[in-house]
Amino acid sequence: FDPRLSFFTFISRHALRRLLPFTDKQNFFPPKQFAARVGLLFSATAEVLFAVDLAIPAVIVLATLGLFAALECVLNFCMGCVIYNTFIAPLQKRKVFEVDR
């Protein structure tokens, strides 16, 4: 799935251009995609844990997900991007890009 073809990308780009005067900032996509998939994995894990009546571990998983989301939102620090650049990118022999801070 190409994010450039997404309906939500189209809407957000046009809405933000009208609301906020700023220039486009290019991001390296694979670390952000990895972080999104890890977030989905955390959510699915918490759902399974709740389904098997393990509420405390599920809350711990969700709290961790919430902490990482808060770091991204408040401090612009993407923990998934750091993990990607540290562990995944060297295995794929890609150039490691700096994390946006």
Side-chain angles (χ1 to χ4, degrees):
F1 183 84
D2 188 358
R4 294 174 294 176
L5 302 177
S6 168
F7 174 72
F8 295 111
T9 301
F10 176 79
I11 295 297
S12 67
R13 281 189 181 162
H14 289 288
L16 287 175
R17 281 188 190 141
R18 294 179 190 268
L19 295 175
L20 301 173
F22 66 92
T23 59
D24 286 339
K25 180 180 175 186
Q26 298 293 322
N27 284 332
F28 185 55
F29 184 65
K32 293 289 187 182
Q33 184 179 32
F34 173 78
R37 288 179 179 169
V38 169
L40 178 65
L41 182 66
F42 271 55
S43 299
T45 301
E47 179 67 28
V48 169
L49 289 171
F50 271 124
V52 296
D53 290 330
L54 294 171
I56 294 175
V59 169
I60 292 171
V61 169
L62 288 176
T64 305
L65 177 62
L67 173 68
F68 291 159
L71 284 172
E72 172 73 22
C73 179
V74 175
L75 301 177
N76 199 21
F77 177 77
C78 177
M79 182 58 89
C81 298
V82 171
I83 293 170
Y84 179 86
N85 285 333
T86 304
F87 298 108
I88 307 299
L91 294 176
Q92 294 179 344
K93 297 180 180 157
R94 289 186 178 175
K95 183 179 176 185
V96 177
F97 287 84
E98 289 294 319
V99 177
D100 294 336
R101 291 186 188 174

